[in-house]
Amino acid sequence: MARRLALASVVAALVAAPLVSTATAAPAPAQLRHEGRWLVDAAGRTVVVHGVNAVWKHAPYIAPDTAEGFTAKDAAFLADNGFNGVRLGVLFAGVMPQPGVIDHAYLDKVDRIVKLLAAQQIYVLLDFHQDDYNERFTGEGFPEWAVHDDGVPFVPTGSFFANYFTPALARTFDNLWADTDGLWDRYAAGWVAVADRWANQPYLMGYDLFNEPSAGSQALTCANPNGCPQFDAKLQEFYDHVRAAIRTKDRGNLVWYEPQFFFNAVSTSHFGHIDDPQVALSWHDYACLPAFAGGSVIPGDPDCQFNEPRVMDNAETQRAEMGGGTLLTEYGSHDAVDDLARMTALADERLIGWMYWAYKVWNDPTGNPASEGMFAKDDDLSTLKAPKADVLIRPYPQAIAGTPQSLSWNVATKTMDLTYAPKSGVGPTDVFVPQRHYPGGYDAVVTGGRVTSARQARHLLVVANGTTPVRVVVRPHVPGAAGGAPAAAPPSAQPPAGELPATGSALLRPLIAALILGIGALLLKRRNALT
């Protein structure tokens, strides 16, 4: 009770407004929610996120409006290449540089990027990012005033990962989890200021409460397949405390819980059911050597092949126990395209969205600055790393008018294959189709539905014919085929199950021509209505 009263007084002083919920207002139309394991948009379509991380880890803790940092050109680049989500670093050190004092000028700088992304219809996940807690430990995230190391000297190890096991940093995390000096209320108050600012922001996808928390002196007890249930209970208590504070300003947006650090590669997580309709699991998969070495080490990466799927399985188990949504919010951090291809294929197989680490290097002090970025030079978008881009920029369904059943991308044949159970009244399925994989155009083959977008549109729109499953196949255009985005074959010409219609077949050409001539105006009217 004392903690709740203290939190109430801090929040009231910071935002100078009564602690009343803004939930009585209608939610912003383009925000994400979850239904079961799926993220859904305001129309009720299942949203698949392919995104990037954008975390500026040096003071002032937000990317500047420069070519090296983040400008309107960066937001346009992301949208043009099919990235529909950004995990944006909002560091506690920037939000509350002095105890109990919110830096609204910092929030203004964050808002600049939030607005640039929203203008491109890119979802934003606000991330209280930290690695190694504070600059004192060669990291970032927490302000200096929040460091309580009890005078234990810090001896750098030369590795941000190894720094977590130094006595000084372990003691600092122990004091955080012990709520020394009322840190929980201060941290929660920082989040309240963020929620108060962006609760109604279009294209918000919620609040990622804490990046890769360390268990402090208990960390090694987490480094086993079963994890550390005792610490997870304390971590959930902390998250529940922060979430309750956020809900005083925002009852609708997703609140994302992250497991302890070793979940990324080794252990399970033990959060129990959360009595909140909009919570989700934010998790990372760095389960093998490329993530630490900056590239492949063992031919074939057998450690990756074993460990990466296991982390994904653990995430699904934890998500179900929480009763929330799910998103792989970090993976990669290197240029090993074989591993990136394997990870993205695993995500497709499990129908999981993802966010690659990282968009730009930004002189990352706690990562792989030589290889993690998407560009050879942060200030020059023309230096995009083509092999990496060929893996990350790919056709995929950004919004599915129903429940996805299967998704795959065959890089050799440049073929995307999606199947879903349709839902009526939610609008079209939207498949992003990048030109980089289809310089000669693409063919879209749809069974159980019809294409309503223009030929060769970057966003392929599909509407179901009824309630039977819809299959959408995108593949390179075959010269002589009838149209770049033909409709499905009619019932009399449907192929046997498992066999794709031939878009260039003589059987379909007359029918498609008749459809174009006879009902073209109707299709145009329908397309305009949908878009």
Side-chain angles (χ1 to χ4, degrees):
M1 178 61 74
R3 177 180 291 157
R4 292 195 186 104
L5 292 174
L7 175 60
S9 63
V10 169
V11 170
L14 288 174
V15 301
L19 291 180
V20 294
S21 172
T22 58
T24 55
Q31 294 178 335
L32 290 188
R33 301 291 187 262
H34 90 89
E35 293 179 2
R37 72 187 302 270
W38 311 112
L39 300 179
V40 296
D41 64 14
R45 298 179 299 177
T46 300
V47 172
V48 178
V49 174
H50 282 190
V52 296
N53 281 266
V55 182
W56 188 279
K57 297 182 179 180
H58 303 274
Y61 308 119
I62 193 67
D65 187 8
T66 65
E68 180 189 13
F70 198 94
T71 71
K73 289 183 179 179
D74 291 285
F77 169 87
L78 291 171
D80 291 345
N81 288 283
F83 295 105
N84 63 345
V86 167
R87 184 170 174 249
L88 180 63
V90 183
L91 274 62
F92 185 43
V95 175
M96 191 183 288
Q98 299 298 325
V101 179
I102 297 297
D103 187 345
H104 292 281
Y106 174 73
L107 299 185
D108 290 342
K109 293 174 183 177
V110 174
D111 192 59
R112 180 187 69 83
I113 297 179
V114 170
K115 293 296 194 293
L116 289 176
L117 294 169
Q120 295 289 346
Q121 301 181 9
I122 295 172
Y123 294 105
V124 180
L125 177 58
L126 301 175
D127 164 35
F128 263 31
H129 204 88
Q130 74 81 39
D131 300 288
D132 285 349
Y133 201 90
N134 173 265
E135 284 82 353
R136 187 184 302 187
F137 311 109
T138 72
E140 82 292 323
F142 279 73
E144 180 65 24
W145 63 261
V147 176
H148 297 282
D149 59 9
D150 296 335
V152 177
F154 172 67
V155 180
T157 66
S159 162
F160 95 91
F161 174 75
N163 285 344
Y164 278 112
F165 303 99
T166 61
L169 186 50
R171 183 70 61 85
T172 300
F173 273 104
D174 286 347
N175 280 321
L176 171 63
W177 306 131
D179 194 20
T180 298
D181 198 30
L183 282 174
W184 288 23
D185 281 352
R186 299 293 190 188
Y187 195 83
W191 267 118
V192 168
V194 168
D196 190 56
R197 181 67 178 262
W198 288 293
N200 295 312
Q201 171 63 47
Y203 293 96
L204 186 70
M205 59 183 295
Y207 313 111
D208 193 339
L209 296 185
F210 200 111
N211 180 70
E212 296 183 348
S214 168
S217 60
Q218 302 178 58
L220 288 178
T221 70
C222 302
N224 67 85
N226 190 48
C228 41
Q230 182 176 355
F231 174 72
D232 286 346
K234 173 59 69 175
L235 183 58
Q236 181 167 353
E237 181 186 355
F238 169 78
Y239 284 155
D240 289 345
H241 181 71
V242 176
R243 175 178 53 81
I246 289 173
R247 290 302 184 222
T248 66
K249 291 296 176 184
D250 184 349
R251 292 191 180 276
N253 275 294
L254 285 161
V255 176
W256 299 77
Y257 286 29
E258 281 201 32
Q260 50 79 23
F261 187 82
F262 277 105
F263 178 91
N264 302 355
V266 177
S267 61
T268 55
S269 179
H270 299 273
F271 299 144
H273 179 79
I274 300 168
D275 188 19
D276 188 312
Q278 293 302 328
V279 293
L281 183 71
S282 167
W283 53 281
H284 307 164
D285 197 332
Y286 293 120
C288 54
L289 287 174
F292 300 95
S296 293
V297 177
I298 306 172
D301 298 322
D303 55 332
C304 300
Q305 295 185 43
F306 176 78
N307 286 319
E308 288 169 343
R310 182 175 51 79
V311 173
M312 293 185 175
D313 292 341
N314 288 342
E316 176 56 24
T317 298
Q318 175 62 100
R319 179 215 66 79
E321 291 171 348
M322 289 171 58
T326 184
L327 184 65
L328 171 58
T329 51
E330 280 193 36
Y331 75 101
S333 188
H334 55 67
D335 291 332
V337 294
D338 288 347
D339 184 53
L340 298 179
R342 178 172 46 249
M343 282 290 294
T344 51
L346 286 169
D348 285 349
E349 178 184 317
R350 288 162 169 75
L351 302 171
I352 295 168
W354 50 255
M355 290 181 165
Y356 172 77
W357 183 277
Y359 177 55
K360 290 183 176 180
V361 173
W362 289 338
N363 194 25
D364 187 350
T366 52
N368 288 324
S371 59
E372 65 185 34
M374 293 184 63
F375 306 93
K377 297 173 61 178
D378 281 350
D379 61 356
D380 187 353
L381 299 185
S382 71
T383 65
L384 179 68
K385 299 175 182 177
K388 180 180 288 185
D390 287 341
V391 175
L392 300 180
I393 301 170
R394 58 203 290 168
Y396 76 101
Q398 292 189 335
I400 302 170
T403 302
Q405 297 177 330
S406 65
L407 174 64
S408 65
W409 164 240
N410 187 316
V411 66
T413 64
K414 307 293 185 183
T415 301
M416 185 218 76
D417 195 337
L418 164 71
T419 303
Y420 65 94
K423 180 193 297 185
S424 63
V426 296
T429 290
D430 181 344
V431 178
F432 171 74
V433 186
Q435 188 175 8
R436 72 181 297 113
H437 289 296
Y438 303 102
Y442 68 88
D443 292 333
V445 184
V446 179
T447 55
R450 60 193 183 279
V451 174
T452 63
S453 49
R455 295 182 67 224
Q456 301 304 318
R458 292 278 68 81
H459 286 267
L460 172 70
L461 303 181
V462 175
V463 174
N465 289 334
T467 59
T468 59
V470 178
R471 186 180 183 190
V472 182
V473 175
V474 177
R475 61 193 185 190
H477 177 59
V478 178
S492 61
Q494 290 284 2
E499 180 181 330
L500 293 177
T503 60
S505 69
L507 178 63
L508 291 181
R509 284 197 195 103
L511 178 60
I512 294 173
L515 287 172
I516 293 172
L517 292 173
I519 61 171
L522 179 60
L523 288 174
L524 179 62
K525 180 179 179 181
R526 180 181 292 127
R527 182 174 67 244
N528 290 339
L530 289 170
T531 58

